[in-house]
Amino acid sequence: IQLTQSPSTLSASVGDRVTITCRATDSRSTWLTWFQQKPGKAPKLLVYKASVLADGVPSRFRGGGSGPEFTLTITSLQPDDSATYYCQHYHPTEYTFGQGTKLEIK
Amino acid sequence: QVALRESGPALVKPTETLTLTCTFSGFSLTTTGMCVNWIRQPPGKALEWLARIDWDDEKIYNSSLKTRLTISKDTSKNEAVFVMTNMDPVDTATYYCARVREGGGSGDYMDVWGTGITVTVSS
């Protein structure tokens, strides 16, 4: 299974709402995970099982969708949201990551 | 509090074998559903999953790298060990270990990551 994220880069302003899409090549894909990664840091879990918010993650982040298309929506953008976002899927015996979406806050 | 930390050499020579250790706390790799993943990230590139070891000692590997990888665990030391043979400059990357929750099912997820260790392959 391959994951394709769009867009690859995104520029938005504080207060904006943005949506990142992750498309899987297998329409039977059920669950998806989203991570946030800042430069020089390890990825941080944001959303798992497509829509479950991880502990401590602000409610401005929302995961949605179902196979093969999933979304990560961030509302009321904050400067701290500047990061690269990755989707990830687990299919028996293999994990796959998307290529990443770099979000810049203007 | 759950924490993981990667340790190992920062520099290896081409053709050498890389051995990395993930030392963790706050959970046990004997608990049903617990697993540890190894993931890497070349400079400026995306994340790539490498291997996973489960609470029941089941192991799975990246199919493209399988012949070079070995993963094991020492539950008495709370360690997961990752070995990659025949290192090449293209294997230069930051290597991470991460805890996997609800492992073994399609809904599993990596909830806590180590800080990573940067490994450079160069003669």
Side-chain angles (χ1 to χ4, degrees):
Chain A
I1 294 179
Q2 294 187 12
L3 299 177
T4 303
Q5 289 182 231
S6 60
S8 295
T9 60
L10 183 56
S11 182
S13 300
V14 172
D16 282 355
R17 166 181 159 155
V18 298
T19 296
I20 301 169
T21 299
C22 182
R23 175 171 281 272
T25 53
D26 187 345
S27 61
R28 297 169 296 173
S29 299
T30 305
W31 302 125
L32 198 84
T33 304
W34 290 96
F35 296 97
Q36 176 193 66
Q37 187 180 33
K38 297 184 178 180
K41 300 294 186 181
K44 172 189 173 184
L45 176 67
L46 292 178
V47 173
Y48 60 99
K49 295 185 180 180
S51 61
V52 180
L53 212 58
D55 290 345
V57 176
S59 58
R60 302 184 292 102
F61 292 85
R62 186 171 73 246
S66 59
E69 189 166 290
F70 299 85
T71 58
L72 175 69
T73 298
I74 313 171
T75 58
S76 189
L77 272 177
Q78 300 298 306
D80 190 52
D81 298 335
S82 179
T84 298
Y85 293 83
Y86 291 96
C87 59
Q88 173 258 312
H89 175 73
Y90 171 65
H91 188 271
T93 77
E94 200 93 11
Y95 290 78
T96 305
F97 288 91
Q99 83 277 17
T101 294
K102 187 173 184 178
L103 171 61
E104 172 198 270
I105 309 298
K106 297 176 190 174
Chain B
Q1 186 174 355
V2 174
L4 302 94
R5 186 184 77 250
E6 305 86 354
S7 60
L11 178 67
V12 296
K13 291 181 169 55
T15 75
E16 287 187 340
T17 294
L18 171 68
T19 300
L20 297 176
T21 300
C22 176
T23 304
F24 53 86
S25 60
F27 70 99
S28 172
L29 252 184
T30 61
T31 301
T32 299
M34 288 294 180
C35 316
V36 168
N37 264 342
W38 282 93
I39 306 99
R40 71 178 178 180
Q41 186 172 37
K45 295 189 176 181
L47 300 160
E48 178 183 32
W49 171 75
L50 298 170
R52 189 185 85 194
I53 189 162
D54 299 354
W55 74 98
D56 58 359
D57 211 36
E58 189 75 18
K59 300 153 190 172
I60 56 172
Y61 298 98
N62 180 311
S63 56
S64 301
L65 299 167
K66 187 172 184 176
T67 59
R68 299 173 54 203
L69 305 183
T70 304
I71 192 170
S72 62
K73 63 182 171 73
D74 185 333
T75 53
S76 66
K77 294 182 179 180
N78 280 350
E79 291 181 349
V81 178
F82 173 80
V83 175
M84 177 179 275
T85 61
N86 193 24
M87 293 293 284
D88 183 272
V90 300
D91 296 314
T92 293
T94 297
Y95 288 75
Y96 297 98
C97 60
R99 182 177 77 162
V100 181
R101 301 292 303 276
E102 300 184 23
S106 61
D108 77 7
Y109 54 98
M110 292 175 268
D111 66 337
V112 184
W113 293 56
T115 55
I117 181 170
T118 299
V119 178
T120 300
V121 184
S122 174
S123 55

